[in-house]
Amino acid sequence: MRKYPQWFLIETEDEYNIVVKRYEEIKYAPKGSLAFKEKQLLVHLISEYEKSTFKFIELDPIEIIKCRMEDFGYKPSDLAKQYGDKGTISKVLNYKQSLSLTMIRMFSELLNIPPQLLIKDYDLKVSK
């Protein structure tokens, strides 16, 4: 039986990086597995640390998503795999379509972004 690490509240950036690295290793763990439960705990720890440390207030939801994609090394195609529609992801990231409730939920979980930061209003680019 595999022994899982004991996790504590994140207090430093080094600890944060360790937790994010572990999250990346187990992010696709099957639901109901011990690794899935560990992933849920890590999401909570990451979220709490980020809420107390990072200030996203000045950014619109799309810029927040792009910053988190960069943090995790994700490309739009990675988001499309999760969401299931590459065209919609492209439109959203290029300000041509608004975030849907489903996307907000998915991005919040996948990118560890508090949902309240993704529901803020932002301007779309109007085609001429």
Coordinates of all heavy atoms in Angstrom, one line a residue, residues 73-117:
G73 N 1.3 26.0 -16.7 CA 1.8 25.5 -18.0 C 0.8 25.0 -19.0 O 1.1 24.1 -19.8
Y74 N -0.4 25.4 -18.9 CA -1.5 25.0 -19.7 C -1.6 25.8 -21.0 O -1.3 27.0 -21.0 CB -2.9 25.1 -19.0 CG -3.1 24.1 -17.9 CD1 -4.0 24.5 -16.9 CD2 -2.5 22.9 -17.8 CE1 -4.3 23.6 -15.9 CE2 -2.7 22.0 -16.8 CZ -3.6 22.4 -15.8 OH -3.8 21.5 -14.8
K75 N -2.0 25.2 -22.1 CA -2.3 25.8 -23.3 C -3.8 25.8 -23.5 O -4.5 25.0 -22.9 CB -1.6 25.1 -24.5 CG -0.1 25.1 -24.3 CD 0.5 24.2 -25.4 CE 2.0 24.2 -25.2 NZ 2.6 23.0 -25.6
P76 N -4.3 26.6 -24.5 CA -5.8 26.6 -24.7 C -6.3 25.1 -25.0 O -7.4 24.8 -24.7 CB -6.0 27.5 -25.9 CG -4.9 28.5 -25.7 CD -3.7 27.7 -25.2
S77 N -5.4 24.4 -25.7 CA -5.8 23.0 -26.1 C -6.0 22.1 -24.8 O -6.9 21.2 -24.8 CB -4.8 22.3 -27.0 OG -3.5 22.3 -26.4
D78 N -5.3 22.4 -23.7 CA -5.5 21.7 -22.5 C -6.8 22.0 -21.9 O -7.5 21.1 -21.3 CB -4.4 22.1 -21.5 CG -3.0 21.7 -21.9 OD1 -2.9 20.5 -22.5 OD2 -2.1 22.5 -21.8
L79 N -7.2 23.3 -22.0 CA -8.6 23.7 -21.5 C -9.7 23.0 -22.3 O -10.7 22.6 -21.8 CB -8.7 25.2 -21.4 CG -7.7 26.0 -20.6 CD1 -8.1 27.4 -20.6 CD2 -7.7 25.4 -19.2
A80 N -9.4 23.0 -23.6 CA -10.4 22.4 -24.6 C -10.6 20.9 -24.3 O -11.7 20.4 -24.4 CB -10.0 22.7 -26.0
K81 N -9.5 20.2 -23.9 CA -9.7 18.8 -23.6 C -10.6 18.6 -22.4 O -11.4 17.7 -22.3 CB -8.3 18.2 -23.2 CG -7.4 18.0 -24.4 CD -6.1 17.4 -24.0 CE -5.1 17.5 -25.1 NZ -3.8 17.1 -24.6
Q82 N -10.5 19.5 -21.4 CA -11.4 19.5 -20.2 C -12.8 19.9 -20.6 O -13.8 19.3 -20.1 CB -10.8 20.4 -19.1 CG -9.6 19.9 -18.5 CD -9.7 18.6 -17.7 OE1 -10.7 18.4 -17.0 NE2 -8.9 17.6 -17.9
Y83 N -12.9 21.0 -21.3 CA -14.3 21.5 -21.6 C -14.9 20.8 -22.8 O -16.2 20.6 -22.8 CB -14.1 23.0 -21.9 CG -15.5 23.7 -22.2 CD1 -16.4 23.8 -21.1 CD2 -15.9 24.1 -23.4 CE1 -17.6 24.4 -21.3 CE2 -17.1 24.7 -23.6 CZ -18.0 24.9 -22.5 OH -19.2 25.4 -22.7
G84 N -14.1 20.3 -23.8 CA -14.7 19.6 -24.9 C -15.0 20.4 -26.1 O -15.5 19.8 -27.1
D85 N -14.6 21.6 -26.2 CA -14.9 22.4 -27.4 C -13.8 23.5 -27.6 O -13.8 24.5 -26.9 CB -16.3 23.1 -27.2 CG -16.7 23.9 -28.4 OD1 -15.9 24.0 -29.4 OD2 -17.8 24.4 -28.4
K86 N -12.9 23.2 -28.5 CA -11.8 24.1 -28.7 C -12.2 25.5 -29.2 O -11.7 26.5 -28.9 CB -10.9 23.4 -29.7 CG -9.6 24.1 -30.0 CD -8.7 23.3 -30.9 CE -7.4 24.1 -31.1 NZ -6.5 23.3 -32.0
G87 N -13.2 25.5 -30.1 CA -13.7 26.8 -30.7 C -14.2 27.7 -29.6 O -13.9 28.9 -29.6
T88 N -15.0 27.2 -28.7 CA -15.6 28.0 -27.6 C -14.5 28.5 -26.7 O -14.5 29.7 -26.3 CB -16.6 27.2 -26.8 OG1 -17.6 26.8 -27.6 CG2 -17.2 28.0 -25.6
I89 N -13.5 27.7 -26.4 CA -12.4 28.1 -25.5 C -11.6 29.3 -26.2 O -11.3 30.3 -25.6 CB -11.4 27.0 -25.2 CG1 -12.1 25.9 -24.4 CG2 -10.2 27.5 -24.5 CD1 -12.6 26.4 -23.0
S90 N -11.4 29.1 -27.5 CA -10.7 30.2 -28.3 C -11.5 31.5 -28.3 O -10.9 32.5 -28.0 CB -10.5 29.7 -29.7 OG -9.9 30.7 -30.5
K91 N -12.8 31.4 -28.5 CA -13.6 32.6 -28.5 C -13.6 33.3 -27.1 O -13.5 34.5 -27.0 CB -15.1 32.3 -28.8 CG -15.3 31.9 -30.3 CD -16.7 31.5 -30.5 CE -16.9 30.9 -31.9 NZ -18.3 30.4 -32.1
V92 N -13.7 32.5 -26.0 CA -13.6 33.1 -24.7 C -12.3 33.7 -24.4 O -12.3 34.9 -23.9 CB -14.0 32.0 -23.6 CG1 -13.6 32.5 -22.2 CG2 -15.4 31.6 -23.7
L93 N -11.2 33.1 -24.7 CA -9.9 33.6 -24.4 C -9.5 34.8 -25.3 O -8.7 35.6 -24.9 CB -8.8 32.5 -24.6 CG -8.9 31.4 -23.6 CD1 -7.8 30.3 -23.9 CD2 -8.7 31.9 -22.2
N94 N -10.3 35.0 -26.4 CA -10.1 36.1 -27.3 C -11.2 37.2 -27.1 O -11.3 38.1 -28.0 CB -10.0 35.7 -28.7 CG -8.7 35.0 -29.0 OD1 -7.6 35.6 -28.8 ND2 -8.7 33.7 -29.4
Y95 N -11.9 37.1 -26.0 CA -12.9 38.1 -25.7 C -14.1 38.2 -26.7 O -14.7 39.2 -26.9 CB -12.3 39.5 -25.5 CG -11.4 39.6 -24.3 CD1 -10.1 39.3 -24.4 CD2 -11.9 40.0 -23.0 CE1 -9.2 39.4 -23.3 CE2 -11.0 40.1 -21.9 CZ -9.7 39.8 -22.1 OH -8.9 39.9 -21.0
K96 N -14.4 37.1 -27.4 CA -15.4 37.1 -28.4 C -16.7 36.4 -27.8 O -17.7 36.5 -28.5 CB -15.0 36.5 -29.7 CG -13.8 37.3 -30.3 CD -13.4 36.7 -31.6 CE -12.3 37.6 -32.1 NZ -11.8 37.2 -33.4
Q97 N -16.6 35.7 -26.7 CA -17.7 35.1 -26.1 C -17.5 35.1 -24.6 O -16.4 35.0 -24.1 CB -17.8 33.6 -26.6 CG -18.9 32.8 -26.0 CD -19.0 31.4 -26.6 OE1 -18.7 31.2 -27.8 NE2 -19.5 30.5 -25.8
S98 N -18.6 35.3 -23.9 CA -18.6 35.4 -22.4 C -18.4 34.0 -21.8 O -18.8 33.0 -22.4 CB -19.9 35.9 -21.9 OG -20.1 37.2 -22.3
L99 N -17.9 34.0 -20.6 CA -17.8 32.7 -19.9 C -19.2 32.2 -19.5 O -20.1 33.0 -19.1 CB -17.1 32.9 -18.5 CG -15.6 33.1 -18.7 CD1 -15.0 33.7 -17.4 CD2 -14.9 31.8 -19.0
S100 N -19.4 30.9 -19.6 CA -20.7 30.3 -19.2 C -20.5 29.9 -17.8 O -19.4 29.8 -17.3 CB -21.1 29.2 -20.1 OG -20.2 28.1 -19.9
L101 N -21.6 29.5 -17.1 CA -21.6 29.0 -15.8 C -20.8 27.7 -15.7 O -20.0 27.5 -14.8 CB -23.0 28.8 -15.2 CG -23.1 28.3 -13.8 CD1 -22.4 29.3 -12.8 CD2 -24.6 28.2 -13.4
T102 N -21.0 26.9 -16.7 CA -20.2 25.6 -16.8 C -18.7 25.9 -16.9 O -17.9 25.2 -16.2 CB -20.7 24.8 -18.0 OG1 -22.1 24.5 -17.9 CG2 -19.9 23.5 -18.1
M103 N -18.3 26.9 -17.7 CA -16.9 27.2 -17.8 C -16.4 27.8 -16.5 O -15.2 27.5 -16.1 CB -16.7 28.2 -19.0 CG -16.8 27.7 -20.3 SD -16.4 28.9 -21.5 CE -17.8 28.9 -22.5
I104 N -17.1 28.6 -15.9 CA -16.7 29.2 -14.6 C -16.4 28.1 -13.6 O -15.4 28.1 -12.9 CB -17.7 30.2 -14.1 CG1 -17.7 31.5 -15.0 CG2 -17.5 30.6 -12.6 CD1 -18.9 32.4 -14.7
R105 N -17.3 27.1 -13.5 CA -17.1 26.0 -12.6 C -15.8 25.2 -13.0 O -15.0 24.9 -12.1 CB -18.3 25.1 -12.6 CG -19.5 25.7 -11.9 CD -20.7 24.8 -12.0 NE -21.8 25.3 -11.3 CZ -23.1 25.2 -11.8 NH1 -23.3 24.5 -12.8 NH2 -24.1 25.8 -11.1
M106 N -15.7 24.9 -14.3 CA -14.6 24.1 -14.7 C -13.2 24.9 -14.5 O -12.3 24.3 -14.0 CB -14.7 23.8 -16.2 CG -13.7 22.8 -16.7 SD -12.7 23.0 -18.1 CE -12.9 24.6 -18.7
F107 N -13.2 26.1 -14.9 CA -12.0 26.9 -14.7 C -11.6 27.1 -13.3 O -10.5 27.1 -12.9 CB -12.1 28.3 -15.4 CG -12.1 28.2 -16.9 CD1 -12.8 29.1 -17.7 CD2 -11.3 27.3 -17.6 CE1 -12.8 29.1 -19.0 CE2 -11.3 27.3 -19.0 CZ -12.1 28.2 -19.7
S108 N -12.6 27.3 -12.5 CA -12.4 27.5 -11.0 C -11.7 26.3 -10.4 O -10.7 26.4 -9.7 CB -13.7 27.7 -10.3 OG -13.5 27.8 -8.9
E109 N -12.2 25.1 -10.8 CA -11.6 23.8 -10.3 C -10.3 23.5 -10.9 O -9.3 23.3 -10.2 CB -12.6 22.7 -10.5 CG -12.0 21.4 -9.9 CD -13.0 20.2 -10.1 OE1 -14.2 20.4 -10.1 OE2 -12.4 19.1 -10.1
L110 N -10.2 23.6 -12.2 CA -9.0 23.2 -12.9 C -7.8 24.2 -12.6 O -6.7 23.7 -12.5 CB -9.3 23.2 -14.4 CG -8.1 22.8 -15.4 CD1 -7.7 21.4 -15.2 CD2 -8.5 23.1 -16.8
L111 N -8.1 25.5 -12.5 CA -7.1 26.5 -12.4 C -7.0 27.0 -11.0 O -6.2 27.9 -10.7 CB -7.3 27.6 -13.4 CG -7.3 27.2 -14.9 CD1 -7.7 28.4 -15.7 CD2 -5.9 26.7 -15.3
N112 N -7.8 26.5 -10.1 CA -7.8 26.9 -8.7 C -8.0 28.4 -8.5 O -7.2 29.1 -7.9 CB -6.5 26.5 -8.0 CG -6.2 25.0 -8.0 OD1 -7.1 24.3 -7.7 ND2 -5.1 24.6 -8.4
I113 N -9.1 28.9 -9.2 CA -9.4 30.3 -9.1 C -10.7 30.4 -8.4 O -11.7 29.7 -8.7 CB -9.6 30.9 -10.6 CG1 -8.4 30.7 -11.4 CG2 -10.1 32.3 -10.5 CD1 -8.6 31.0 -12.9
P114 N -10.8 31.2 -7.4 CA -12.1 31.4 -6.7 C -13.2 31.9 -7.7 O -12.9 32.8 -8.5 CB -11.8 32.5 -5.7 CG -10.3 32.5 -5.5 CD -9.7 32.1 -6.8
P115 N -14.3 31.2 -7.7 CA -15.4 31.5 -8.6 C -15.8 33.0 -8.6 O -16.1 33.5 -9.7 CB -16.5 30.6 -8.2 CG -16.0 29.7 -7.3 CD -14.7 30.1 -6.8
Q116 N -15.7 33.6 -7.5 CA -16.2 35.0 -7.4 C -15.3 35.9 -8.3 O -15.7 37.0 -8.7 CB -16.2 35.6 -6.0 CG -15.0 35.6 -5.2 CD -14.7 34.3 -4.5 OE1 -15.2 33.2 -4.8 NE2 -13.8 34.4 -3.5
L117 N -14.1 35.5 -8.6 CA -13.2 36.3 -9.5 C -13.6 36.1 -11.0 O -13.2 36.9 -11.8 CB -11.7 35.9 -9.3 CG -11.2 36.2 -7.9 CD1 -9.7 35.8 -7.9 CD2 -11.3 37.7 -7.6

